[in-house]
Amino acid sequence: MKVRKGVFLVAGLGTRTLPAAKSIPKVMLPLADKPAIQYVVEEAVAAGIEQVILVTAAGNQAVEDYFDTAYRLEESLAARGKQKELAELQALKELATVIGVRQHAPLGTGDAIRTARSVVGNEPFAVFLPDDVIDGEPPAIRQLMDVHEAHGGEVVAVMSVPHDHVDRYGIVEGTPVAAGIQRLQSLIEKPPVCEAPSNLAIVGRYVFTPAIFDYIDRTPAGAGGEIQVTDAINTLAQEGPVYSCEFTGRRYDMGDKVGYLSASIDLALKRPDLRPGLAAYLRGLDLDNMDPTP
Ligand code: G1P
């Protein structure tokens, strides 16, 4: 069955992105001139996702508003003949059908995903952690959807990370079935470096069958006292097929300040309208003679 729905977990508190994320959701922080969430939604739409389900929380209304009509703004742009800006806002609204659901407490990724259960219904679906912005062609989630269509089951995105970083990620262990694809035996959330079974880390893209919801319901709180979707997938992997897909593309971690800045620069350099000015500025930087402010 075709994957038509994407669940986007945007309810995070943004503690790694403070102070910027104190009063705006971290996924609304701009990369070049668009909020991070827009890149992730564009990735989904390019992959064929038709319905965007935003899992929000109190204080995150800005994310839903961003994909909604801004009536006063649009009326004012129309009155002033600003057709280009108006068309841009129109295109944003036409990207996909957007539905918001609320997570009532920060109880973890597993809990956030099950918040979307009634909207997802009984069909396979994609999940996006928009902290991970991925610049890939084909879109990273499309690569996972292809694995799901070929093999069935659940699919998680993975990439190699340095061994001493494994305690920041969900880590997988599996047996190769094709180039870049493994059938997983186990998944463990943020293991200590000495206990990690590999250095293949989960990145925030998943394709799930509706079976995942029952496994989440059976999952007790794990790492950080939260209901971790990694634990639910690990239990499911003992009973049914779960695959990892080592996607091609560049992943930026929005929760890491250097990752965020790198994404902003790289994505702006890919834009024909921004590249000439920004490239000239970067070429002119005399990095060795710029003192960091203490
Ligand atoms: C989440 C997942 C983890 C994954 C990571 C990727 O962790 O729980 O398995 O490796 O995203 O970014 P978080 O970074 O939200 O703590």
Side-chain angles (χ1 to χ4, degrees):
M1 193 176 182
K2 200 168 160 258
V3 177
R4 301 182 306 133
K5 300 182 179 184
V7 174
F8 295 72
L9 309 192
V10 300
L13 290 173
T15 43
R16 291 191 297 160
T17 331
L18 289 171
K22 183 181 172 197
S23 59
I24 50 166
K26 66 178 161 181
V27 297
M28 290 304 294
L29 295 176
L31 298 171
D33 60 354
K34 295 189 289 191
I37 185 66
Q38 188 171 342
Y39 291 90
V40 185
V41 169
E42 284 172 352
E43 174 195 332
V45 171
I49 299 281
E50 296 159 10
Q51 193 180 86
V52 168
I53 303 164
L54 300 172
V55 179
T56 66
N60 276 31
Q61 293 87 333
V63 190
E64 276 177 86
D65 288 351
Y66 186 70
F67 293 99
D68 196 359
T69 303
Y71 185 74
R72 278 181 54 218
L73 176 62
E74 288 173 33
E75 214 179 38
S76 151
L77 289 173
R80 289 188 286 148
K82 301 232 176 226
Q83 293 308 327
K84 182 172 161 280
E85 289 81 357
L86 204 52
E88 229 165 39
L89 295 191
Q90 198 60 37
L92 182 59
K93 283 189 292 179
E94 285 165 7
L95 260 182
T97 312
V98 177
I99 293 171
V101 295
R102 279 283 188 114
Q103 186 186 20
H104 298 293
L107 296 178
T109 45
D111 180 68
I113 292 167
R114 83 174 149 202
T115 308
R117 186 174 197 157
S118 62
V119 188
V120 167
N122 194 28
E123 58 182 282
F125 63 105
V127 168
F128 299 78
L129 308 188
D131 261 14
D132 289 324
V133 171
I134 305 177
D135 184 22
E137 187 46 52
I141 197 69
R142 182 67 252 170
Q143 299 174 43
L144 271 68
M145 286 155 72
D146 289 344
V147 175
H148 172 78
E149 281 165 21
H151 301 272
E154 328 296 310
V155 189
V156 301
V158 295
M159 69 175 196
S160 297
V161 297
H163 267 289
D164 56 340
H165 288 182
V166 291
D167 54 358
R168 305 176 187 179
Y169 297 94
I171 299 294
V172 305
E173 181 181 27
T175 318
V177 293
I181 303 170
Q182 295 201 92
R183 176 150 178 188
L184 299 184
Q185 274 86 54
S186 67
L187 303 88
I188 171 165
E189 183 68 12
K190 302 194 175 77
V193 175
C194 59
E195 284 173 26
S198 78
N199 69 331
L200 268 189
I202 300 171
V203 173
R205 300 289 183 275
Y206 312 79
V207 171
F208 290 126
T209 68
I212 193 68
F213 293 119
D214 288 338
Y215 286 86
I216 293 173
D217 282 344
R218 287 159 42 190
T219 301
E226 297 181 345
I227 297 170
Q228 299 289 351
V229 74
T230 307
D231 295 343
I233 312 169
N234 181 52
T235 314
L236 202 162
Q238 315 312 314
E239 293 162 24
V242 175
Y243 298 95
S244 63
C245 168
E246 213 170 334
F247 62 95
T248 56
R250 175 130 199 206
R251 173 253 186 182
Y252 300 94
D253 179 4
M254 289 285 294
D256 172 73
K257 289 177 188 178
V258 174
Y260 168 71
L261 292 167
S262 311
S264 212
I265 293 169
D266 287 0
L267 294 169
L269 285 173
K270 288 188 87 171
R271 286 265 301 267
D273 54 335
L274 301 177
R275 183 182 174 90
L278 181 59
Y281 173 72
L282 292 173
R283 276 194 207 101
L285 288 179
D286 183 3
L287 291 176
D288 293 331
N289 291 308
M290 290 167 84
D291 287 332
T293 316

